[in-house]
Amino acid sequence: MALGEHRYALTATWTGDLGTGTSGYREYARDVTLSVDGKPDVLASADKPFRGDATRWNPEDMLLAALSECHLLSYLLACVTASVVVVSYRDRATGVMTEDGRSGGAFTDVLLRPEVVVAEPAMIERAEHAHEEAHRMCFIANSVNFPVRHEAVVTSR
């Protein structure tokens, strides 16, 4: 393994056989259990418009969650480096996926909307700039081929 190379593994198990396998488009559920050793399972499915279970996480949810969480974690590190004390962080992220009309599609845009509270008013400007550094550091944002934008609001307590 190369220096700085990290490997990840999971097991995706389809649990949607309704008795006849994939004998027809409407004859199976899109349910999946995602497992990583030592972690709770994630119950997943397709998004509801694609015949999935709306109560389960879908791949689109998970991609948006990965981008949001990666920015959050990168941001916290950027703030520590900039001597900014974050006391609260909440992101209301949104994403746009566009179907191509040929049974495919792609995400075309993600907007992160972090709402950050810092310990002191003097930290606000550095906290605002830390979002740029977080974006640069985020492994997930650096791995996708669509824009990941952020519109942050930073206040102090």
Side-chain angles (χ1 to χ4, degrees), residues 7-155:
R7 297 187 180 263
Y8 301 89
L10 68 78
T11 302
T13 305
W14 175 54
T15 57
D17 183 358
L18 302 177
T20 61
T22 58
S23 61
Y25 182 73
R26 300 179 190 282
E27 306 306 316
Y28 64 96
R30 278 59 175 174
D31 296 351
V32 176
T33 300
L34 302 174
S35 303
V36 173
D37 287 344
K39 299 178 182 179
D41 287 349
V42 172
L43 300 181
S45 186
D47 195 9
K48 188 175 181 178
F50 308 109
R51 303 195 53 79
D53 181 341
T55 66
R56 293 174 172 234
W57 284 79
N58 62 60
E60 297 81 12
D61 292 334
M62 289 187 272
L63 178 59
L64 187 59
L67 287 162
S68 178
E69 182 182 359
C70 187
H71 185 85
L72 183 158
L73 296 171
S74 298
Y75 181 75
L76 296 178
L77 174 59
C79 284
V80 166
T81 303
S83 299
V84 172
V85 177
V86 175
V87 296
S88 174
Y89 184 114
R90 178 174 51 186
D91 183 14
R92 297 178 187 272
T94 58
V96 177
M97 184 187 74
T98 305
E99 293 183 68
D100 65 11
R102 300 183 310 270
S103 299
F107 268 78
T108 55
D109 186 65
V110 163
L111 177 60
L112 307 178
R113 292 187 185 97
E115 299 168 0
V116 180
V117 179
V118 296
E120 299 173 13
M123 297 176 176
I124 291 176
E125 186 175 338
R126 290 192 317 271
E128 291 170 342
H129 290 294
H131 283 287
E132 296 165 20
E133 180 66 9
H135 182 73
R136 187 193 66 71
M137 291 189 299
C138 177
F139 300 131
I140 307 301
N142 288 319
S143 299
V144 299
N145 66 353
F146 54 85
V148 179
R149 301 175 297 117
H150 61 273
E151 293 178 356
V153 174
V154 180
T155 59

